[in-house]
mmCIF file of all heavy atoms in Angstrom:
data_model
loop_
_atom_site.group_PDB
_atom_site.id
_atom_site.type_symbol
_atom_site.label_atom_id
_atom_site.label_comp_id
_atom_site.label_asym_id
_atom_site.label_seq_id
_atom_site.Cartn_x
_atom_site.Cartn_y
_atom_site.Cartn_z
ATOM 1 N N ASP Q 109 -6.527 -1.945 14.131
ATOM 2 C CA ASP Q 109 -5.073 -2.006 14.221
ATOM 3 C C ASP Q 109 -4.392 -0.912 13.404
ATOM 4 O O ASP Q 109 -3.201 -0.669 13.556
ATOM 5 C CB ASP Q 109 -4.551 -3.370 13.744
ATOM 6 C CG ASP Q 109 -4.913 -4.487 14.696
ATOM 7 O OD1 ASP Q 109 -5.269 -4.191 15.855
ATOM 8 O OD2 ASP Q 109 -4.852 -5.660 14.281
ATOM 9 N N MET Q 110 -5.148 -0.284 12.512
ATOM 10 C CA MET Q 110 -4.627 0.859 11.762
ATOM 11 C C MET Q 110 -5.689 1.929 11.735
ATOM 12 O O MET Q 110 -6.878 1.641 11.835
ATOM 13 C CB MET Q 110 -4.160 0.465 10.358
ATOM 14 C CG MET Q 110 -5.130 -0.268 9.503
ATOM 15 S SD MET Q 110 -4.394 -0.945 7.985
ATOM 16 C CE MET Q 110 -4.264 0.482 6.966
ATOM 17 N N THR Q 111 -5.260 3.172 11.662
ATOM 18 C CA THR Q 111 -6.192 4.289 11.632
ATOM 19 C C THR Q 111 -6.153 4.938 10.255
ATOM 20 O O THR Q 111 -5.131 4.919 9.578
ATOM 21 C CB THR Q 111 -5.826 5.345 12.689
ATOM 22 O OG1 THR Q 111 -4.520 5.846 12.416
ATOM 23 C CG2 THR Q 111 -5.870 4.759 14.091
ATOM 24 N N VAL Q 112 -7.288 5.495 9.877
ATOM 25 C CA VAL Q 112 -7.379 6.217 8.609
ATOM 26 C C VAL Q 112 -8.136 7.505 8.865
ATOM 27 O O VAL Q 112 -9.215 7.497 9.453
ATOM 28 C CB VAL Q 112 -8.123 5.400 7.527
ATOM 29 C CG1 VAL Q 112 -8.293 6.207 6.258
ATOM 30 C CG2 VAL Q 112 -7.393 4.102 7.231
ATOM 31 N N SER Q 113 -7.534 8.620 8.437
ATOM 32 C CA SER Q 113 -8.257 9.886 8.472
ATOM 33 C C SER Q 113 -8.255 10.436 7.062
ATOM 34 O O SER Q 113 -7.293 10.277 6.314
ATOM 35 C CB SER Q 113 -7.636 10.863 9.465
ATOM 36 O OG SER Q 113 -6.306 11.144 9.113
ATOM 37 N N GLY Q 114 -9.364 11.050 6.702
ATOM 38 C CA GLY Q 114 -9.487 11.571 5.340
ATOM 39 C C GLY Q 114 -10.316 10.636 4.480
ATOM 40 O O GLY Q 114 -11.268 10.022 4.956
ATOM 41 N N ASP Q 115 -9.920 10.504 3.238
ATOM 42 C CA ASP Q 115 -10.687 9.779 2.227
ATOM 43 C C ASP Q 115 -10.402 8.275 2.281
ATOM 44 O O ASP Q 115 -9.438 7.785 1.693
ATOM 45 C CB ASP Q 115 -10.322 10.347 0.846
ATOM 46 C CG ASP Q 115 -11.219 9.834 -0.263
ATOM 47 O OD1 ASP Q 115 -12.053 8.936 -0.006
ATOM 48 O OD2 ASP Q 115 -11.078 10.327 -1.389
ATOM 49 N N LEU Q 116 -11.246 7.528 2.987
ATOM 50 C CA LEU Q 116 -11.096 6.086 3.126
ATOM 51 C C LEU Q 116 -11.146 5.388 1.764
ATOM 52 O O LEU Q 116 -10.526 4.347 1.566
ATOM 53 C CB LEU Q 116 -12.185 5.529 4.047
ATOM 54 C CG LEU Q 116 -12.205 4.020 4.265
ATOM 55 C CD1 LEU Q 116 -10.905 3.553 4.898
ATOM 56 C CD2 LEU Q 116 -13.397 3.618 5.098
ATOM 57 N N ARG Q 117 -11.832 5.975 0.817
ATOM 58 C CA ARG Q 117 -11.950 5.396 -0.524
ATOM 59 C C ARG Q 117 -10.574 5.142 -1.145
ATOM 60 O O ARG Q 117 -10.357 4.129 -1.813
ATOM 61 C CB ARG Q 117 -12.780 6.347 -1.405
ATOM 62 C CG ARG Q 117 -12.987 5.923 -2.817
ATOM 63 C CD ARG Q 117 -13.789 6.991 -3.572
ATOM 64 N NE ARG Q 117 -13.238 8.326 -3.397
ATOM 65 C CZ ARG Q 117 -12.344 8.882 -4.210
ATOM 66 N NH1 ARG Q 117 -11.909 8.240 -5.247
ATOM 67 N NH2 ARG Q 117 -11.887 10.095 -3.982
ATOM 68 N N LEU Q 118 -9.618 6.038 -0.904
ATOM 69 C CA LEU Q 118 -8.268 5.858 -1.453
ATOM 70 C C LEU Q 118 -7.592 4.610 -0.887
ATOM 71 O O LEU Q 118 -6.903 3.888 -1.608
ATOM 72 C CB LEU Q 118 -7.404 7.092 -1.190
ATOM 73 C CG LEU Q 118 -7.729 8.323 -2.024
ATOM 74 C CD1 LEU Q 118 -6.917 9.518 -1.538
ATOM 75 C CD2 LEU Q 118 -7.467 8.060 -3.492
ATOM 76 N N VAL Q 119 -7.788 4.342 0.390
ATOM 77 C CA VAL Q 119 -7.210 3.143 1.000
ATOM 78 C C VAL Q 119 -7.831 1.903 0.383
ATOM 79 O O VAL Q 119 -7.132 0.940 0.059
ATOM 80 C CB VAL Q 119 -7.408 3.144 2.535
ATOM 81 C CG1 VAL Q 119 -6.939 1.837 3.149
ATOM 82 C CG2 VAL Q 119 -6.704 4.314 3.169
ATOM 83 N N LEU Q 120 -9.142 1.920 0.203
ATOM 84 C CA LEU Q 120 -9.828 0.761 -0.370
ATOM 85 C C LEU Q 120 -9.388 0.515 -1.811
ATOM 86 O O LEU Q 120 -9.269 -0.631 -2.241
ATOM 87 C CB LEU Q 120 -11.341 0.948 -0.279
ATOM 88 C CG LEU Q 120 -11.884 1.073 1.148
ATOM 89 C CD1 LEU Q 120 -13.387 1.332 1.129
ATOM 90 C CD2 LEU Q 120 -11.540 -0.158 1.975
ATOM 91 N N GLN Q 121 -9.128 1.567 -2.570
ATOM 92 C CA GLN Q 121 -8.652 1.387 -3.938
ATOM 93 C C GLN Q 121 -7.208 0.891 -3.951
ATOM 94 O O GLN Q 121 -6.855 0.011 -4.739
ATOM 95 C CB GLN Q 121 -8.792 2.688 -4.723
ATOM 96 C CG GLN Q 121 -10.249 3.020 -4.995
ATOM 97 C CD GLN Q 121 -10.452 4.389 -5.604
ATOM 98 O OE1 GLN Q 121 -9.602 5.256 -5.500
ATOM 99 N NE2 GLN Q 121 -11.596 4.566 -6.228
ATOM 100 N N LEU Q 122 -6.368 1.434 -3.071
ATOM 101 C CA LEU Q 122 -4.973 1.015 -3.009
ATOM 102 C C LEU Q 122 -4.852 -0.430 -2.529
ATOM 103 O O LEU Q 122 -3.943 -1.154 -2.951
ATOM 104 C CB LEU Q 122 -4.180 1.943 -2.084
ATOM 105 C CG LEU Q 122 -2.688 1.675 -2.009
ATOM 106 C CD1 LEU Q 122 -2.026 1.979 -3.356
ATOM 107 C CD2 LEU Q 122 -2.054 2.509 -0.916
ATOM 108 N N GLU Q 123 -5.757 -0.866 -1.691
ATOM 109 C CA GLU Q 123 -5.727 -2.222 -1.147
ATOM 110 C C GLU Q 123 -5.678 -3.263 -2.259
ATOM 111 O O GLU Q 123 -5.116 -4.345 -2.084
ATOM 112 C CB GLU Q 123 -6.958 -2.418 -0.244
ATOM 113 C CG GLU Q 123 -6.970 -3.712 0.534
ATOM 114 C CD GLU Q 123 -7.709 -4.830 -0.166
ATOM 115 O OE1 GLU Q 123 -8.502 -4.553 -1.077
ATOM 116 O OE2 GLU Q 123 -7.476 -5.993 0.203
ATOM 117 N N ARG Q 124 -6.207 -2.948 -3.415
ATOM 118 C CA ARG Q 124 -6.228 -3.900 -4.534
ATOM 119 C C ARG Q 124 -4.835 -4.275 -5.021
ATOM 120 O O ARG Q 124 -4.667 -5.324 -5.624
ATOM 121 C CB ARG Q 124 -7.041 -3.328 -5.699
ATOM 122 C CG ARG Q 124 -8.462 -3.056 -5.299
ATOM 123 C CD ARG Q 124 -9.319 -2.416 -6.338
ATOM 124 N NE ARG Q 124 -8.624 -1.779 -7.430
ATOM 125 C CZ ARG Q 124 -9.168 -1.528 -8.598
ATOM 126 N NH1 ARG Q 124 -10.400 -1.858 -8.837
ATOM 127 N NH2 ARG Q 124 -8.480 -0.916 -9.542
ATOM 128 N N ILE Q 125 -3.841 -3.433 -4.777
ATOM 129 C CA ILE Q 125 -2.496 -3.758 -5.272
ATOM 130 C C ILE Q 125 -1.611 -4.393 -4.200
ATOM 131 O O ILE Q 125 -0.486 -4.772 -4.486
ATOM 132 C CB ILE Q 125 -1.789 -2.539 -5.903
ATOM 133 C CG1 ILE Q 125 -1.461 -1.479 -4.859
ATOM 134 C CG2 ILE Q 125 -2.606 -1.979 -7.047
ATOM 135 C CD1 ILE Q 125 -0.533 -0.404 -5.371
ATOM 136 N N PHE Q 126 -2.124 -4.527 -2.976
ATOM 137 C CA PHE Q 126 -1.368 -5.210 -1.939
ATOM 138 C C PHE Q 126 -1.394 -6.703 -2.244
ATOM 139 O O PHE Q 126 -2.411 -7.221 -2.698
ATOM 140 C CB PHE Q 126 -1.986 -4.969 -0.553
ATOM 141 C CG PHE Q 126 -1.584 -3.665 0.077
ATOM 142 C CD1 PHE Q 126 -1.938 -2.457 -0.485
ATOM 143 C CD2 PHE Q 126 -0.854 -3.663 1.253
ATOM 144 C CE1 PHE Q 126 -1.577 -1.258 0.096
ATOM 145 C CE2 PHE Q 126 -0.486 -2.465 1.852
ATOM 146 C CZ PHE Q 126 -0.843 -1.263 1.272
ATOM 147 N N PRO Q 127 -0.295 -7.398 -1.995
ATOM 148 C CA PRO Q 127 -0.290 -8.839 -2.253
ATOM 149 C C PRO Q 127 -1.192 -9.563 -1.265
ATOM 150 O O PRO Q 127 -1.404 -9.104 -0.145
ATOM 151 C CB PRO Q 127 1.172 -9.227 -2.050
ATOM 152 C CG PRO Q 127 1.725 -8.192 -1.144
ATOM 153 C CD PRO Q 127 0.969 -6.924 -1.453
ATOM 154 N N GLY Q 128 -1.722 -10.678 -1.707
ATOM 155 C CA GLY Q 128 -2.522 -11.519 -0.828
ATOM 156 C C GLY Q 128 -1.663 -12.667 -0.321
ATOM 157 O O GLY Q 128 -0.484 -12.780 -0.674
ATOM 158 N N PRO Q 129 -2.237 -13.526 0.506
ATOM 159 C CA PRO Q 129 -1.489 -14.682 0.994
ATOM 160 C C PRO Q 129 -1.030 -15.555 -0.170
ATOM 161 O O PRO Q 129 -1.686 -15.615 -1.203
ATOM 162 C CB PRO Q 129 -2.499 -15.434 1.865
ATOM 163 C CG PRO Q 129 -3.638 -14.508 2.068
ATOM 164 C CD PRO Q 129 -3.590 -13.467 1.008
ATOM 165 N N SER Q 130 0.082 -16.234 0.006
ATOM 166 C CA SER Q 130 0.644 -17.033 -1.086
ATOM 167 C C SER Q 130 -0.284 -18.164 -1.520
ATOM 168 O O SER Q 130 -0.218 -18.611 -2.656
ATOM 169 C CB SER Q 130 2.001 -17.599 -0.679
ATOM 170 O OG SER Q 130 1.854 -18.390 0.486
ATOM 171 N N ASP Q 131 -1.190 -18.600 -0.645
ATOM 172 C CA ASP Q 131 -2.098 -19.683 -1.013
ATOM 173 C C ASP Q 131 -3.484 -19.181 -1.416
ATOM 174 O O ASP Q 131 -4.413 -19.959 -1.562
ATOM 175 C CB ASP Q 131 -2.223 -20.678 0.135
ATOM 176 C CG ASP Q 131 -2.785 -20.050 1.405
ATOM 177 O OD1 ASP Q 131 -2.852 -18.798 1.481
ATOM 178 O OD2 ASP Q 131 -3.145 -20.797 2.321
ATOM 179 N N ALA Q 132 -3.625 -17.862 -1.617
ATOM 180 C CA ALA Q 132 -4.930 -17.275 -1.958
ATOM 181 C C ALA Q 132 -5.337 -17.624 -3.375
ATOM 182 O O ALA Q 132 -4.514 -17.821 -4.256
ATOM 183 C CB ALA Q 132 -4.879 -15.757 -1.793
ATOM 184 N N ARG Q 133 -6.628 -17.656 -3.586
ATOM 185 C CA ARG Q 133 -7.196 -17.815 -4.918
ATOM 186 C C ARG Q 133 -8.017 -16.564 -5.178
ATOM 187 O O ARG Q 133 -8.875 -16.217 -4.404
ATOM 188 C CB ARG Q 133 -8.119 -19.034 -4.993
ATOM 189 C CG ARG Q 133 -7.420 -20.319 -4.674
ATOM 190 C CD ARG Q 133 -6.806 -20.876 -5.932
ATOM 191 N NE ARG Q 133 -6.213 -22.163 -5.659
ATOM 192 C CZ ARG Q 133 -4.974 -22.465 -5.971
ATOM 193 N NH1 ARG Q 133 -4.206 -21.582 -6.555
ATOM 194 N NH2 ARG Q 133 -4.489 -23.643 -5.716
ATOM 195 N N GLY Q 134 -7.748 -15.871 -6.241
ATOM 196 C CA GLY Q 134 -8.511 -14.660 -6.533
ATOM 197 C C GLY Q 134 -7.607 -13.552 -7.006
ATOM 198 O O GLY Q 134 -6.443 -13.773 -7.330
#
Side-chain angles (χ1 to χ4, degrees):
D109 291 343
M110 53 190 283
T111 61
V112 176
S113 60
D115 189 353
L116 178 61
R117 179 182 50 92
L118 287 173
V119 174
L120 298 177
Q121 290 172 339
L122 184 67
E123 188 267 342
R124 300 176 342 159
I125 68 168
F126 278 64
S130 58
D131 61 347
R133 300 273 184 232

